[in-house]
Amino acid sequence: MSIERTLSILKPDATRRNITGKIISKFEENGLRIVASKRIRMTKAQAEAFYAVHKERPFYASLVESMTSGPVVVQVLEGQDAVALNRRIMGATNPAAADAGTIRAEFAESIEANSVHGSDSLENAAVEIAFFFSQTEIVG
């Protein structure tokens, strides 16, 4: 096991419902530390660039629209095997399939309004973190 960093986004459905504190508690209670955090409103260009990997998928346009519909909280989480741990804490993308006690099982409204995004690999975590944060903004 190693100390890793991963990106987390609390999506507009979570900020709209004022449940960001509840979600953040889940990360911290499970051993992840928040080493960078900011509340932003993603522009359409930012959302399109961030989710470019999904450009050819049928849900791309609605994903971009959803992610720009309100503020988000972007965070860098740090901890032992942070990428895998964060994905376990979040639960399955489809909240109907998410394990009890996970963020998506407790808070998601739908498969798209599923409250959180998390990096899916260590390599993608590095790219995603750099998309939103400079090194000087990350304070371990």
Side-chain angles (χ1 to χ4, degrees):
M1 293 199 307
S2 61
I3 299 295
E4 297 174 349
R5 288 182 174 165
T6 190
L7 184 82
S8 169
I9 302 176
L10 308 187
K11 294 182 176 183
D13 68 281
T15 61
R16 176 179 40 79
R17 293 179 290 144
N18 203 30
I19 58 171
T20 58
K22 292 176 182 178
I23 293 171
I24 290 167
S25 291
K26 292 262 189 198
F27 298 134
E28 293 179 330
E29 290 165 3
N30 284 281
L32 292 171
R33 290 181 344 117
I34 299 163
V35 295
S37 180
K38 57 187 170 184
R39 185 181 181 102
I40 64 168
R41 180 133 191 177
M42 258 197 252
T43 65
K44 183 177 182 188
Q46 281 177 311
E48 288 173 342
F50 187 76
Y51 289 106
V53 66
H54 299 301
K55 189 170 184 133
E56 302 305 319
R57 310 282 292 272
F59 60 82
Y60 177 74
S62 65
L63 176 60
V64 168
E65 184 179 329
S66 171
M67 292 302 291
T68 58
S69 68
V72 298
V73 176
V74 291
Q75 305 177 114
V76 179
L77 306 177
E78 181 180 83
Q80 291 285 343
D81 296 313
V83 173
L85 178 56
N86 182 43
R87 295 195 68 76
R88 281 194 303 276
I89 295 166
M90 289 189 308
T93 302
N94 182 347
D99 291 339
T102 63
I103 291 168
R104 290 175 172 149
E106 288 188 28
F107 302 115
E109 295 179 314
S110 68
I111 195 165
E112 192 168 274
N114 62 15
S115 302
V116 287
H117 163 90
S119 303
D120 63 1
S121 69
L122 199 52
E123 296 76 22
N124 283 341
V127 171
E128 291 180 351
I129 289 168
F131 188 91
F132 290 106
F133 293 95
S134 70
Q135 284 302 309
T136 59
E137 293 177 296
I138 302 171
V139 182

